Amino acid sequence: MSDTRVPTRSVPSVPSAPSVGSATAGSAATRSGPPVSAAAGGLTPLGLATVLLGAALPMIDFFIVNVALPAMGRDLHASPAVLELVVAGYGVAYAVLLVLGGRLGDTFGRRRLFLVGMAAFGITSLACGLAPDAWTLVAARVAQGAAAALLLPQVLATIQATTSGPGRARALSMYGATAGLAMVVGQILGGLLVAADLAGTGWRAVFLVNVPVALLGLVLAARTVPETRSERPAPVDIPGTLLLAVSLVALLLPLTEGRAAGWPVWTWVSLGAFPLAAAAFFAVERRADRAGRIPLVPPSLFALPGLRRGLALVVPFSTGFGGFMFVVAVALQQGLRFGPVAAGLALVPMALAFFVVSLAGPRLVNRFGSSVVTVGGLIQGAGLALLAVTVLRDWPDLGFWELLPGLAIAGLGQGLQLPVLFRIVLADVPAERAGVGSGVMVTTQQSSLALGVATLGTLFLALESSVGMRNALVTTLAVQVAAVVVTVGLSLRLPRGVA
């Protein structure tokens, strides 16, 4: 279960990356914005580490609460539906506002928005950690999701605008490694913090730990991250922003809250409204694009083959990943009776395998191109299938060593896919549209993670009550293997070369 207007001034420009798409696609995307400017030169290694820290925080916090929810429920006397809102409130606010966060960075300066987002993330994390009751925690989590939506798009946009060539490829690979590792580390760290009960804080430590990290990020960003922005910023697309928000809320909120709330009428009305709101959003954006205005999500961006085909893989990959992380957290704690620390440590093999192979990713991609994604999908599917066989054979006598092979192989496959997908999606996006392109990609990823928690989580919990947790887990893993088959098939359509 799963966010000040200042005068724009001209400053020395940063070289834009050449489009590797077709001339038509490149010109269509370039029409949607002016050149990028920066207040300083390229991104230094410490600057890259700083923006990657800003990327890790929001991703960790999407997953860190999974192993802390039981303790939250006991301490705050919260119902399952309210606990789901602790996750859903963050995820929905985060997903809804990400594209707007990217546009604001283009307009007001990406370092400026990075600093604002980092400060807001620290403040809202403090509010979460000090929440006196469940509903205050839900409100603070919504605000935290909004802060994350200001922070995260600036990371990829800054990388796009301040790097080029092999340096950009390495930076994007490191971003992909950070993203995948952060999602696994979130649950590991959550288990350790809850069990450590630092100064009697219990579950509150999963939020309070963000405060000193955010302060460090602010100091480093002020010194090391160059400012980039659009010299002729586009106004905020208010109709597009509102319709995107309505579309995502109409889809994600009922899916995340429906099961715990007993599927009341409003959930079905909301789901029925989703396709209408989505169609209205695309119609408004297309009309604005054709009229020469700059929409929130320029449809011309989707003429770029790398972005279009890469996003098609991000959806099933992230949906499966988000659902898997939630289901595993529940199965380990409630089914196998692992404590928070044991539940977190069980995922260490997956995290290590992901991290190690993602570091080798740039060399593998340079040699084998996007076929690395196909091979990664096959390896991930083999790991999930092995895990399902292990659960079916050994349940409930499963421990760390029995789970290790399947989790490690799955993590290895994931590490081959995610960094490469990010590079493919952004390879064709001109630097002047870096904020919008980054926002679209991260929104797709975040919405898919939330969708996976909602759909696979709901399936697992519904089956658990009728066929038992072992069979529910095996069935859910089988569904995820089917999603991996889809990603493998789609990967065959990716451009063979990767910029």
Side-chain angles (χ1 to χ4, degrees):
M1 289 175 300
S2 24
D3 65 244
T4 61
R5 182 173 294 270
V6 297
T8 302
R9 63 183 183 276
S10 178
V11 282
S13 63
V14 171
S16 298
S19 172
V20 296
S22 67
T24 303
S27 62
T30 305
R31 279 202 312 269
S32 61
V36 167
S37 293
L43 197 61
T44 65
L46 184 56
L48 176 60
T50 301
V51 295
L52 291 179
L53 175 65
L57 275 176
M59 296 179 188
I60 286 174
D61 265 62
F62 184 85
F63 291 96
I64 200 169
V65 299
N66 280 350
V67 293
L69 287 173
M72 290 179 193
R74 290 190 300 270
D75 188 34
L76 300 178
H77 308 289
S79 67
V82 174
L83 287 177
E84 289 197 19
L85 277 176
V86 171
V87 180
Y90 178 87
V92 172
Y94 188 11
V96 162
L97 297 173
L98 274 165
V99 178
L100 178 61
R103 169 63 61 83
L104 293 175
D106 286 347
T107 302
F108 297 123
R110 291 153 190 152
R111 182 179 67 174
R112 188 185 304 274
L113 263 292
F114 184 92
L115 291 169
V116 170
M118 182 70 79
F121 196 84
I123 292 169
T124 53
S125 295
L126 180 63
C128 290
L130 300 179
D133 55 62
W135 286 108
T136 302
L137 177 59
V138 169
R141 282 285 281 174
V142 172
Q144 190 187 35
L150 290 178
L151 174 62
L152 189 59
Q154 317 317 325
V155 176
L156 280 170
T158 297
I159 290 173
Q160 284 286 94
T162 59
T163 61
S164 60
R168 175 179 295 174
R170 286 192 298 271
L172 289 175
S173 293
M174 291 181 69
Y175 174 88
T178 300
L181 189 62
M183 290 185 280
V184 180
V185 165
Q187 292 195 185
I188 298 172
L189 182 61
L192 293 173
L193 289 172
V194 171
D197 193 22
L198 301 173
T201 54
W203 61 266
R204 297 177 186 274
V206 304
F207 301 116
L208 296 176
V209 72
N210 293 331
V211 177
V213 178
L215 289 173
L216 175 64
L218 284 170
V219 172
L220 291 175
R223 293 174 176 270
T224 65
V225 177
E227 180 66 284
T228 63
R229 62 167 63 84
S230 176
E231 290 181 341
R232 295 184 298 277
V236 173
D237 175 13
I238 295 177
T241 300
L242 292 176
L243 283 170
L244 178 62
V246 169
S247 300
L248 292 176
V249 170
L251 175 65
L252 297 177
L253 191 60
L255 287 177
T256 52
E257 278 295 292
R259 185 198 60 82
W263 297 106
V265 172
W266 71 264
T267 60
W268 299 108
V269 172
S270 182
L271 288 172
F274 164 69
L276 301 177
F281 169 71
F282 284 114
V284 166
E285 298 298 275
R286 187 183 302 111
R287 187 179 305 117
D289 206 23
R290 289 174 176 173
R293 299 190 300 273
I294 303 177
L296 183 70
V297 179
S300 52
L301 276 180
F302 293 92
L304 302 174
L307 182 138
R308 185 177 64 252
R309 295 172 185 174
L311 287 181
L313 268 80
V314 169
V315 172
F317 179 91
S318 298
T319 299
F321 193 98
F324 174 82
M325 295 302 293
F326 167 69
V327 167
V328 166
V330 174
L332 292 179
Q333 291 188 91
Q334 297 183 12
L336 297 176
R337 304 299 177 188
F338 282 24
V341 173
L345 292 179
L347 296 173
V348 167
M350 172 181 277
L352 289 177
F354 185 104
F355 183 67
V356 170
V357 76
S358 63
L359 292 179
R363 291 191 297 273
L364 294 173
V365 170
N366 290 339
R367 183 171 181 182
F368 301 108
S370 62
S371 60
V372 170
V373 177
T374 305
V375 174
L378 294 171
I379 294 173
Q380 181 192 5
L384 294 172
L386 176 59
L387 187 60
V389 170
T390 303
V391 170
L392 194 62
R393 182 189 63 207
D394 296 334
W395 187 278
D397 300 317
L398 284 169
F400 177 88
W401 297 109
E402 289 79 14
L403 295 169
L404 186 150
L407 288 173
I409 293 172
L412 190 152
Q414 291 163 345
L416 286 174
Q417 295 173 82
L418 192 60
V420 184
L421 285 178
F422 287 161
R423 285 176 60 179
I424 290 171
V425 169
L426 295 175
D428 292 359
V429 177
E432 64 268 17
R433 301 277 22 105
V436 175
S438 301
V440 169
M441 191 194 75
V442 180
T443 297
T444 302
Q445 181 198 20
Q446 182 63 31
S447 301
S448 300
L449 288 171
L451 186 63
V453 172
T455 53
L456 292 180
T458 296
L459 172 66
F460 171 74
L461 293 172
L463 290 173
E464 189 270 335
S465 61
S466 58
V467 300
M469 188 164 291
R470 183 194 72 162
N471 293 333
L473 179 56
V474 170
T475 302
T476 307
L477 289 171
V479 172
Q480 192 185 353
V481 170
V484 172
V485 171
V486 172
T487 65
V488 169
L490 291 173
S491 72
L492 299 175
R493 299 185 65 247
L494 292 173
R496 291 296 94 187
V498 180

